[in-house]
Every structure is written in C-alpha cells, then in structure tokens.
Amino acid sequence: MSAMLEIVRLSKHFPVRNGFGRQTGEVRAVDDVSFSIEKGKVYGLAGESGSGKSTIARMIMGLTRPTSGDILLDGRNITGDTGTRAYGRKVQMVFQNPGSSLNPRRTVGQSIAVPLDAHGHPRSDRTRRIVELLEMVQLPAEFASRYPHELSGGQKQRVAIARALAVVPQLIVLDEPTSALDVSVQAKVMDLLVDLGRQLELTFLFISHDLSLMRNFAQQVGVLYLGKIVETGPTATVFENPQHDYTRLLLASVPVISAEEAAMRPVIPLIDGEIPTAEQLLALRNAGGPDSQRIEQ
Amino acid sequence: MNDALLSVRNLSVSFSTYGQTAEVLKDVSLDVPARSQIALVGESGSGKTVTMKAIMGLLHHPPATITGGQIFYDGRDLLTMPARERLKLRGTAMSMVFQDPMSSLNPVFTIGDQMGTILKYADRRLGRSRGKVERMARVHEVLGQVRMRDPERVTRSYPIMLSGGMRQRVLIAMALLSEPKLLIADEPGTALDVTTQAQILKLLKDLVEERGLALMMITHNLGVVRETSSYVYVMNKGVVVEHRPTAELFASPADPYTKALIGAVPRLTGGSGFGRAGAAA
Ligand SMILES: Nc1ncnc2c1ncn2[C@@H]1O[C@H](COP(=O)(O)OP(=O)(O)OP(=O)(O)O)[C@@H](O)[C@H]1O
Ligand SMILES: Nc1ncnc2c1ncn2[C@@H]1O[C@H](COP(=O)(O)OP(=O)(O)OP(=O)(O)O)[C@@H](O)[C@H]1O
Ligand SMILES: [Mg+2]
Ligand SMILES: [Mg+2]
C-alpha cells in the first residue's frame, strides 16, 4: 500500500492582533494534524465552520505556509515548494463557489487553456484537448465559447472540474464542491467525480459539511474540531459507531429523510430542553459524563 | 375559501423585465390550518420565496404582477382588502423569519433598539401604545422565549457581537414580538453549521407547539421537511406538483419530480451509489 498524500503533524497558527497591530495571541487554526490518503481513494474531512478545513486545503495547495509539520505527495516532501509547475500538475483544487472561481471575462475554453499553457501543453493540440476535457465532464464542445454568466451553477462547477483535470493531476482537493448546488445537480456532479476518479485513478481530499454526502463518497473520514482531528477511520465505522462527542453531535444534527437514517443518529442528551453546543457537551463529559435522553423528533 | 388560517387559491404571479414577461407562479394553491406545521419544498428558482412575498405583501409592482388568485387570511382576502388593513396584519398576525440574519439586521443599532423600534411600529399599526419600559420588558420576554441565556446583554449588543446562531434567534424573537398566529420561515438556519441549524429547527418546532402557532417552513432541504412538518407542498417551476402528509410523501412519492428529488438525496446510511448511474447531463 502506498500513500498519495501524507500529512504529518501539520500545524498553522495565525497571529491575533489588537487595534494597534500588536500581536496579542494566536489562533491555532490547524493543530498537530496527521492523516494519509491511499492512491485512488477519497478521504473526507468534516467539521464545523472555522475548524480548519480550508486552511489544511490551502497548505496542501501551497497557498499558505505551515507553521510546522510536513506534507508528502507520492512520497516526496513538498512542504517547502509552492506554486511550482511540477507541483501544480500533481495537485489541483475545486472550490466551493463555481461562480467566483471562474474569471467572468474569460470564455470556458480560455479558462481551461490557462493550466494547459502554464504547463507547456502544445498549442497545436489545445483545442482538441479542451473539447476532450469538456466531453469528460459531459458538456458539449460548443460550451468552449460561452462565458460563465451563460452557465448554470452545475455547469460552472463542471467547468471548474474540467479545468482541474486539464493537466491530469494525481490529487484533487475538493473544498465544498457542491454546497452551492441543488440536490439534483449535486447528484450529477458527484456521479461525475466518482466516474472520473475511477477512470483516471484520481485521489481526492473531500471537504464538506454534508455528512450524508460524505458517507457516500469517502472511504475514510477525519472529523476536525478546533483545529484537531478528534476522530478518524473508515467512513462506515465512524458513522456507525462514533466515539467522540463532537462526531456524535455532528451526526445527531443531520436532517435525514428516512426512519432508518434517524435510527442511526446518536442519542444526545438535551440541556434545558435544548440541543447542546459542542462546548457544552464536552464540558458535561469532562464533568462526569452525560446521561442519555433522546432528541425528540 | 375554506377555514384554514391561511389559504392561497390559484395564485399566479408574473415578472416583467426588459419587456419580457415570465410567469413564475402558476395556479398555486395551498392551505395552512391553524396550529399546523407545513413545508413548501423545491429547488432553486421554483418560486418558494415569491410565494412567501406574495403572502406577506412584499412583491413590488413593477416588476411583479399578481395575475390571478386569492390569498385568504382568517377568511379575508388579503389581495382585495384595503392596504391599511393589510399592513395591520403584516408583522403582527403573520410574521416571517429570513435565511440570512446578517442582512436582515442593521449593523449600526443595538439589538434592543431594533427590537424596540419594530415593536413600537407594530403597536402603532394596531392602534396600541406602550411606554419604553414596557416595550423593553416585552423584548426581554421574547428573547427569553427563544432561549437566549442573557437577554439584557443581548439587547445591548450590536449584531456583529453575536454568533450566527444567536442572530438567527434574534430574528425569530423579532418575528414573535407581536404574538403572530402564523410564522413563515424562509430557509432558516441554512447559513449556519449543521449543529446550530439543528438547534434552530428544534427551537422553531418547540415554539410553534408551545405558543400554538402555525408554521410554514420554506426550504430546499428534504431532511428539514421531514424534521419540521406534517404536511408538505412540493414546488417545481412555479407549480405545486404534489402535496400530502409528509410521512406519506417520503413513503410513496407520486410525482416524477418528487421521486427524482428524493432519489437525489444522499443517505446517511450509505448506499446512495454515486457514479453507478453514469454522469448524464
Ligand atoms: N489568514 C488568516 N488570518 C487569521 N486567521 C485565519 C486566517 N485564515 C483562517 N483563519 C482562522 O483559522 C480558523 C480556521 O479557518 P478555516 O477557513 O480553515 O475554517 P473552515 O473549517 O474551512 O471553515 P468553513 O467551514 O467555514 O469554511 C478560523 O478561526 C479562521 O478565522
Ligand atoms: N425581482 C425579480 N425579477 C424577475 N424575476 C424574479 C424576481 N424575483 C424572482 N424572480 C424569478 O422568479 C422565480 C422564482 O424565484 P424564487 O426566489 O421564488 O425562487 P426560490 O424557490 O425561492 O429559490 P431559492 O431556493 O433559490 O431561494 C425565479 O425564476 C426567479 O428568477
Ligand atoms: Mg472552509
Ligand atoms: Mg428563496
């Protein structure tokens, strides 16, 4: 077995400054995080807003420099080298908001040509490759001459995926790739990612708030809480038998559409008749352990 | 007409922009009985918010035109009653909660100021009046109802000083100020974390039960429909394609659009099988 991506004791601290610009403390946005992703697999990263998911993605992409720790891609330490061509070729990212990640003044074809040119793809072959990539994401060739405002949200996200695939990456980082989309469009984009992943043997780091989606896409998951991974393991194991209170709270909060799913959600004790926050739940645990009372449906 | 608290009958709405007219609601009918919890679900652009705005009297003409139908509240047609009468109902008998707390709160006034002002105008519309002290007492009372731990501190806070979940609670409190009978919530909590969203949904459910309100929950999330409603209307392209008890809808959806929608929802239990269907356009 070989890891495509290995994250070793990765940390990122941001300085907190007062109104006069003096540093008064620091945020541990990512705190001693380690995990690895096998070649051809999907690793899901879940956690509430501000838990450090995007910061990890940015460090992998070389957009933010880690405070400490290492990032290994296909066995090679890439912690220092950022933005280099060879690196960009291996790692690509698809962002949450397809609207803002595409340049409104470039046609779809021009947007896809950017990574091709940057990586020295022969100009004579450019048009053919663009059509091939559009085909891969199930868009007709004539979309190459359209502008982003002429596309639906799902179509824009497919263009973003086509662009990420342009130079055949080994690892694709997906940061909330479908959260701006309707479920029916989301299903199509996910189908596409799964098919392409199989076809091209891609490895994915999949960041999402949506645990139901994660359950169906990732083989392994990690749950981030305040910059730390509090639980990690095979998706089925973590979902069926969550060990950490925060994971349990997260799973208990997912709105579901069937009784089987509802039965799978952990039982969380109510505090003063309300669903507790993660902080309250963990404080209660530290004070001696919560007794269970079902969240009323 | 029937005896539902709110009854929308054959409502049609068009928008005219740049000389083009688009019919965005076609013959929409729905009923919200007193003390009921109903949901209106559909994908982006299906017409949920336009329906809500038509009910609340918030559609602007131009570009919007109500081309047909009636909206009965407590047996009276809102569309034909005098404007002044209608204004009396909005924010008092019927209230609403929006999705995005930040854009519905004014950043330069404290929560107490904003809630006090809303109450003052609601009182005025209803021909009531109460002093500042009484108003503040009511504000604190309502903040307590939405389970704010420290109402005094909240009233002195500016919106930026509150978390997203607290802001959403403030919006719910604002909607409750004049003891409405009907609460319309448009995607509440969707801008929040899943854990905070669960708290807000539970709060709304508890409130409508405790206070005997009717709730109309507008959402694109079928999970939210199942958790918060007992009757559901499914909308697609401005048309209500199916409506039935919520449990029945999930057990045996009849309309092809509803079936496709339910089929597209990933399951927490797994087995949704992305990729198997192939990525059809
Ligand atoms: N450039 C920065 N300077 C200072 N603090 C930052 C910076 N970038 C992120 N942070 C902080 O680091 C923490 C983690 O942020 P991050 O964006 O990684 O969260 P996230 O898990 O992606 O959240 P979301 O789900 O909302 O996207 C937050 O507390 C955030 O405020
Ligand atoms: N002011 C307007 N001018 C022109 N068209 C409008 C206007 N407001 C809404 N529409 C159109 O009416 C239709 C219904 O919009 P509406 O906002 O009700 O959708 P929705 O179901 O609430 O969607 P979402 O889930 O995205 O909020 C859409 O096609 C929209 O483009
Ligand atoms: Mg993020
Ligand atoms: Mg809407």
Side-chain angles (χ1 to χ4, degrees), chain A residues 47-49 138 158 182-188 190-192 194-195 198 209-213 215-217 239-240 246 249-262 264-265 270-278 280 295-297, chain B residues 42-45 48 146-149 169 192-203 205-206 209 220-227 250-251 257 260-281:
Chain A
E48 69 190 333
S49 186
Q138 317 254 326
R158 285 186 220 190
D182 276 330
V183 281
S184 59
V185 184
Q186 166 176 279
K188 284 171 195 158
M190 294 313 294
D191 278 341
L192 178 68
V194 170
D195 282 346
R198 280 196 203 122
H209 285 289
D210 187 337
L211 293 187
S212 301
L213 189 56
R215 174 74 169 93
N216 291 283
F217 185 46
F239 276 54
E240 277 151 34
Y246 179 65
L249 182 64
L250 214 51
L251 284 167
S253 303
V254 179
V256 297
I257 63 167
S258 67
E260 296 124 271
E261 293 168 273
M264 196 188 144
R265 292 186 300 194
L270 298 183
I271 299 181
D272 299 334
E274 278 206 273
I275 303 171
T277 62
Q280 288 173 324
I295 295 178
E296 298 116 66
Q297 294 299 316
Chain B
E43 293 194 297
S44 187
K48 306 182 296 293
V146 298
R147 327 276 198 259
M148 283 290 205
R149 272 167 236 288
R169 276 168 209 259
L192 305 171
D193 265 323
V194 64
T195 53
T196 318
Q197 183 190 30
Q199 290 170 1
I200 294 295
L201 294 180
K202 174 154 192 323
L203 173 69
K205 267 194 75 127
D206 289 353
E209 272 155 27
H220 66 272
N221 185 324
L222 283 163
V224 170
V225 170
R226 183 178 166 280
E227 314 262 340
F250 287 109
Y257 174 76
L261 205 57
I262 292 176
V265 178
R267 304 301 176 100
L268 191 59
T269 38
S272 298
F274 289 123
R276 244 177 273 152

Side-chain angles (χ1 to χ4, degrees), chain B residues 27-44:
Chain B
D27 246 351
V28 168
S29 293
L30 56 87
D31 289 321
V32 185
R35 296 166 180 270
S36 66
Q37 297 170 18
I38 76 123
L40 181 58
V41 68
E43 293 194 297
S44 187

Side-chain angles (χ1 to χ4, degrees), chain A residues 111-187:
Chain A
S111 272
I112 298 175
V114 172
L116 290 176
D117 291 350
H119 294 280
H121 193 89
R123 288 201 149 237
S124 56
D125 186 53
R126 203 161 75 174
T127 310
R128 186 203 62 81
R129 180 67 179 148
I130 289 170
V131 171
E132 183 178 61
L133 286 162
L134 286 174
E135 234 163 56
M136 259 185 219
V137 297
Q138 317 254 326
L139 290 175
E142 61 265 25
F143 268 56
S145 55
R146 289 212 191 174
Y147 285 91
H149 74 264
E150 299 172 301
L151 308 179
S152 73
Q155 288 168 341
K156 276 185 227 169
Q157 199 56 292
R158 285 186 220 190
V159 171
I161 293 167
R163 192 179 52 175
L165 292 172
V167 288
V168 196
Q170 291 171 293
L171 174 73
I172 297 190
V173 177
L174 304 162
D175 194 354
E176 307 264 9
T178 59
S179 62
L181 308 176
D182 276 330
V183 281
S184 59
V185 184
Q186 166 176 279

